[in-house]
Amino acid sequence: MTIAQAQPQPPAQHDADAVAIATFFEVSLDLLVIRELDGRVVRASPSWETILGHRPDEMEGRPLLRLLHPDDLAATRLSAVEVETRGPGDPVVGFINRYLHKAGGWRTLEWRSRRVGDRVYGVARDVTDRVAAERALLEAKTAAEVANQAKTDFLANMSHEIRTPLNGVIGIVDTLADTELTPPQREMVELVRGSGVVLERLVSDILDVSKIEAGQLEIEVRPFDLEAELDGIIDSAGLRARAAGLAFEVRRGGGAAGLFLGDSTRIQQVLANLLSNAVKFTARGRVGVRLDVADPVYPGGACLLTLEVSDTGVGFAPEQAAALFQRFSQADTTITRRFGGTGLGLSICKSLVEMMGGVIDVESTPGEGSRFRIELPLTRAAAAAPESRVAAPPRPANDRPLRVLLADDHPTNQRVVQLILGAQQAEVVTVADGVEALTAFKAGNFDLVLMDMQMPVMDGLAATRAIRAHEQAEPGRARTPVVMLSANAMARHRDEALAAGADLHVAKPITAAALLAGIAAVTG
């Protein structure tokens, strides 16, 4: 410090600084205060009267804490200690508290304070309205989340209630289709089966939308054979296209061969939806699908999966493309009357593709057709067999039929399973609740347990846990595979089933093919 710096300021400069400070206090819209270390106010700005109704002369010489809300007293004292122990170079201390308005009521203030010498200088802003708005927004957000969860739970319950009788319809129709029928009877059976499939798809779409909105839809990454997983979808669409008199073109690139890591189920769902729409909206001409993988494209060595579905159908104008991927929306309101549908499929496809890190776009011309293009990142998996989701326990000896314990409280569902497994010469013992299932399991020798998740007295989860506990209590006893059959189709229901000790979760409605495939997976 130089001699010039150490000298006291001239009186004129001191007077100018005092005038500047007084002016600053007069013009400030925020609350300004200078206080002693003991809390007594030395100087307060006129804005105290504007904001809190207290004149500056009423503030001076009195403790600032006297106007503080009792609930904020402890926290404010801690902040005051922090202010008083910090030096000039330390960060400014900030805190929020509530002060009493002279006319009554509390105002919320946001403070910035610093100690200079033996005094504390503080500035406060009235944030009452902001805090109230934030609180209202948080309450609205919480209420919306509660309402959204209630809607999700409602849809999950509705899905269960619809899937349960639908399981009987589809199961009985599938079994009936395998019997000898006259041509008119077979036509009626196929009509019923087609209607059941449409209803099942509708229920699944509504449930998927609910999962997406609630953030409960999960992407499962596991090894899968890309071409093998998608061939069934493509072949099925080809059959429908040719039955409708359409040409069906398939182009596969060489890079699509081999194993990849990703969610094959969701990729199948997206491709199936696009192909179904292409066939539905094309009266004549062709439907085409292209499958290719460029390797590698993304950072880290990820491949680019390209799926294209094209058609010569009705098409739509470019300005209608944005609405196409919105929920409950279709490019043309006449589409619903002509072709049916809910307008959910493409919205779900877009959400799924984006959740998997990809993009989906569309090009279309009215009257000439459309082309949907999907690009997804996929990583090549090691050249090994895809992971099995269940361990394959020993199968029964070849000289006797499979002995199955079926626990389901719905008589129609019992009959469906009996018909499906009876055709495979399996022996089925049926019970109606979890308690009966546990009693039968302890008394019998079963190769497999088919367990409904929701049953009276004891549900399937509790019964499965009891079965696993009984097995552990008997040294040397082999683990009996349990397949959970449930009309609850949410991912959390599958996780609950596996956590309870089930080897596999199969969602209703159950087809013969799905049930037999599940049984084969867990029994070898």
Side-chain angles (χ1 to χ4, degrees):
M1 181 179 293
T2 65
I3 295 176
Q5 289 173 322
Q7 292 176 348
Q9 292 180 318
Q13 180 64 44
H14 183 274
D15 292 344
D17 289 345
V19 171
I21 293 174
T23 302
F24 184 62
F25 265 65
E26 289 290 336
V27 301
S28 175
L29 297 177
D30 293 326
L31 302 169
L32 303 180
V33 67
I34 303 173
R35 69 170 177 84
E36 303 285 4
L37 296 182
D38 62 4
R40 288 182 296 108
V41 175
V42 175
R43 184 169 188 173
S45 63
S47 52
W48 278 86
E49 184 173 8
T50 304
I51 296 174
L52 288 174
H54 302 281
R55 297 193 314 273
D57 61 316
E58 294 175 333
M59 301 286 298
E60 294 169 1
R62 306 181 70 180
L64 191 61
L65 295 181
R66 67 189 176 86
L67 301 176
L68 191 66
H69 193 289
D71 292 345
D72 297 339
L73 188 59
T76 301
R77 280 175 171 163
L78 289 175
S79 298
V81 171
E82 188 177 4
V83 171
E84 293 161 7
T85 55
R86 286 192 178 185
D90 294 331
V92 173
V93 176
F95 51 95
I96 293 179
N97 51 26
R98 289 164 292 177
Y99 274 79
L100 180 65
H101 193 283
K102 190 172 183 178
W106 300 95
R107 305 296 294 179
T108 303
L109 306 181
E110 184 176 14
W111 285 90
R112 294 290 184 272
S113 296
R114 169 167 282 171
R115 175 178 175 176
V116 179
D118 291 333
R119 289 179 174 176
V120 174
Y121 293 75
V123 56
R125 177 163 295 174
D126 184 4
V127 294
T128 305
D129 294 339
R130 190 195 77 190
V131 170
E134 290 174 351
R135 184 180 298 112
L137 184 62
L138 179 60
E139 291 174 354
K141 178 177 179 291
T142 302
E145 290 173 347
V146 171
N148 196 42
Q149 184 60 49
K151 183 190 71 175
T152 300
D153 292 341
F154 170 76
L155 289 176
N157 290 335
M158 287 301 298
S159 171
H160 177 274
E161 294 304 313
I162 294 173
R163 286 174 184 271
T164 297
L166 191 58
N167 181 68
V169 172
I170 292 180
I172 293 295
V173 168
D174 277 346
T175 305
L176 187 59
D178 291 333
T179 64
E180 293 185 6
L181 300 171
T182 65
Q185 289 172 334
R186 185 160 299 280
E187 180 185 9
M188 288 186 285
V189 167
E190 292 301 327
L191 287 172
V192 173
R193 177 155 53 183
S195 297
V197 170
V198 170
L199 181 56
E200 179 190 5
R201 186 179 300 121
L202 173 61
V203 172
S204 297
D205 282 351
I206 294 175
L207 197 58
D208 276 344
V209 168
S210 178
K211 291 178 187 177
I212 291 169
E213 290 181 346
Q216 295 180 353
L217 193 145
E218 300 174 353
I219 299 299
E220 181 180 3
V221 177
R222 65 180 184 88
F224 70 98
D225 187 320
L226 178 63
E227 289 187 321
E229 295 280 2
L230 298 186
D231 276 350
I233 304 296
I234 293 172
D235 292 343
S236 177
L239 290 174
R240 295 197 306 274
R242 285 185 281 271
L246 305 174
F248 189 73
E249 302 172 358
V250 181
R251 288 183 293 163
R252 290 185 175 90
L259 298 179
F260 295 84
L261 292 174
D263 194 328
S264 60
T265 301
R266 294 304 181 181
I267 297 175
Q268 287 177 323
Q269 181 178 350
V270 171
L271 180 59
N273 187 282
L274 295 181
L275 285 172
S276 176
N277 283 347
V279 173
K280 181 169 65 172
F281 297 134
T282 304
R284 58 182 179 275
R286 65 164 188 85
V287 170
V289 57
R290 183 171 77 88
L291 167 64
D292 197 9
V293 175
D295 186 19
V297 172
Y298 293 90
C303 309
L304 173 63
L305 166 64
T306 301
L307 288 172
E308 285 187 1
V309 174
S310 57
D311 62 66
T312 56
V314 294
F316 51 88
E319 60 269 19
Q320 295 173 309
L324 202 64
F325 294 104
Q326 295 176 3
R327 290 166 194 164
F328 305 103
S329 176
Q330 292 179 322
D332 185 345
T333 55
T334 61
I335 294 284
T336 302
R337 294 192 295 271
R338 293 171 58 192
F339 299 102
T342 61
L344 288 174
L346 289 177
S347 167
I348 294 172
C349 287
K350 184 175 187 295
S351 296
L352 292 177
V353 169
E354 291 176 349
M355 289 178 68
M356 292 186 285
V359 294
I360 180 171
D361 61 20
V362 60
E363 297 175 357
S364 185
T365 303
E368 296 182 13
S370 306
R371 181 184 66 85
F372 287 84
R373 179 184 177 89
I374 296 170
E375 294 183 349
L376 280 176
L378 285 181
T379 304
R380 288 196 178 273
E387 290 182 344
S388 174
R389 300 189 187 183
V390 294
R395 54 185 169 183
N398 292 331
D399 58 350
R400 67 175 180 83
L402 193 73
R403 196 158 188 266
V404 179
L405 173 61
L406 169 63
D408 197 311
D409 62 313
H410 200 287
T412 303
N413 291 340
Q414 290 182 357
R415 187 58 181 152
V416 168
V417 174
Q418 287 173 333
L419 290 171
I420 293 173
L421 297 186
Q424 306 298 319
Q425 287 76 50
E427 179 185 339
V428 182
V429 176
T430 62
V431 294
D433 61 57
V435 172
E436 293 180 4
L438 182 59
T439 301
F441 180 82
K442 292 178 178 179
N445 182 23
F446 295 98
D447 304 303
L448 172 71
V449 178
L450 300 178
M451 186 78 72
D452 185 32
M453 182 176 283
Q454 287 192 0
M455 294 183 293
V457 186
M458 178 188 288
D459 63 28
L461 297 175
T464 301
R465 286 191 288 265
I467 286 174
R468 294 302 180 220
H470 177 70
E471 289 175 335
Q472 293 175 0
E474 292 189 3
R477 176 161 184 164
R479 176 188 173 96
T480 302
V482 175
V483 176
M484 194 73 71
L485 308 178
S486 174
N488 294 321
M490 301 286 276
R492 62 183 174 89
H493 297 133
R494 178 202 62 194
D495 295 340
E496 289 173 354
L498 299 181
D503 298 279
L504 188 65
H505 175 272
V506 178
K508 295 176 182 178
I510 301 165
T511 64
L515 180 60
L516 295 177
I519 292 175
V522 299
T523 61

